[in-house]
Amino acid sequence: MENDPSIMASNNSENGTGFSRRELLKGLTSAMVATTLLGFPFLSQAEKETATQSPVIFGQFYLVSQAITGHRNISEGTSAQIFNAFFRSQPDFPAQVSKLHALVKPGQAAKDLQKAAQQNGLGELVTSIVTAWYTGTVGHGTDSILITYKDALMYRPVSDGLIVPTYCGNGPLYFTAAPPDAAMPESMNADRFNRSSESDVSKA
């Protein structure tokens, strides 16, 4: 039987599933985001929910963040935290992100995206996103929200030679790991004790 054009063109929920195509795509995208964020146990329930309930905007924010910082390997978990902080503090954030995402082009340099954003009245948004990624904070002064310290992008240029500045001598949270094995002094060498025990037995 030939396809009925009136059915194929329908944009309602009469597709055999009880959901519209848009609802199905949104649900699938939300599930993909939720699965991705499972690998980040440090995320709060609110941070996960904000990303999964607005999966399209979250995806756009992640792509914008990659483009504007020039870093492809940014953390999805940190992105969810930054996204949540902006989403809950700025009512127009979703709409602004969509506008900024529309300016992103393949192979575009960060400075070119920044220039295009400024021309379209989105310069302040770009500055706030870049600041969040490089400093690990969202907002200013007493209203600022700490997102991350050791993973702030400002430490990446020197990561091959310097640890992240901290009072802990070997980097943030170093004390949470198991302590390194201590070198055994010669006087406590196990082989030495064994030799002494064998010698005592032979004398007996």
Side-chain angles (χ1 to χ4, degrees), residues 5-85:
S6 63
I7 296 177
M8 296 299 292
S10 176
N11 194 32
N12 57 28
S13 60
E14 296 177 2
N15 52 19
T17 65
F19 298 95
S20 68
R21 178 181 298 179
R22 181 174 182 178
E23 290 172 330
L24 287 173
L25 290 175
K26 183 177 180 180
L28 178 61
T29 306
S30 179
M32 291 174 63
V33 170
T35 301
T36 299
L37 298 182
L38 282 176
F40 301 92
F42 58 81
L43 291 176
S44 68
Q45 188 63 31
E47 290 164 344
K48 292 179 181 179
E49 288 180 354
T50 301
T52 55
Q53 290 175 4
S54 303
V56 176
I57 302 299
F58 174 67
Q60 292 177 345
F61 174 74
Y62 185 77
L63 293 175
V64 164
S65 295
Q66 288 180 316
I68 202 61
T69 63
H71 290 282
R72 304 295 300 176
N73 59 336
I74 55 176
S75 166
E76 293 92 340
T78 302
S79 183
Q81 290 180 300
I82 296 175
F83 179 75
N84 177 69

Side-chain angles (χ1 to χ4, degrees), residues 65-149:
S65 295
Q66 288 180 316
I68 202 61
T69 63
H71 290 282
R72 304 295 300 176
N73 59 336
I74 55 176
S75 166
E76 293 92 340
T78 302
S79 183
Q81 290 180 300
I82 296 175
F83 179 75
N84 177 69
F86 278 124
F87 192 94
R88 294 180 179 277
S89 61
Q90 301 181 16
D92 62 340
F93 182 70
Q96 294 290 303
V97 169
S98 290
K99 292 178 181 178
L100 183 56
H101 177 262
L103 301 177
V104 178
K105 300 177 181 178
Q108 184 181 40
K111 63 179 181 180
D112 293 333
L113 176 56
Q114 183 177 10
K115 183 178 180 180
Q118 291 174 341
Q119 293 173 344
N120 286 271
L122 299 170
E124 186 174 341
L125 175 63
V126 167
T127 299
S128 62
I129 292 176
V130 171
T131 300
W133 277 104
Y134 272 86
T135 66
T137 59
V138 172
H140 304 281
T142 57
D143 295 327
S144 63
I145 302 172
L146 175 63
I147 302 298
T148 181
Y149 178 69

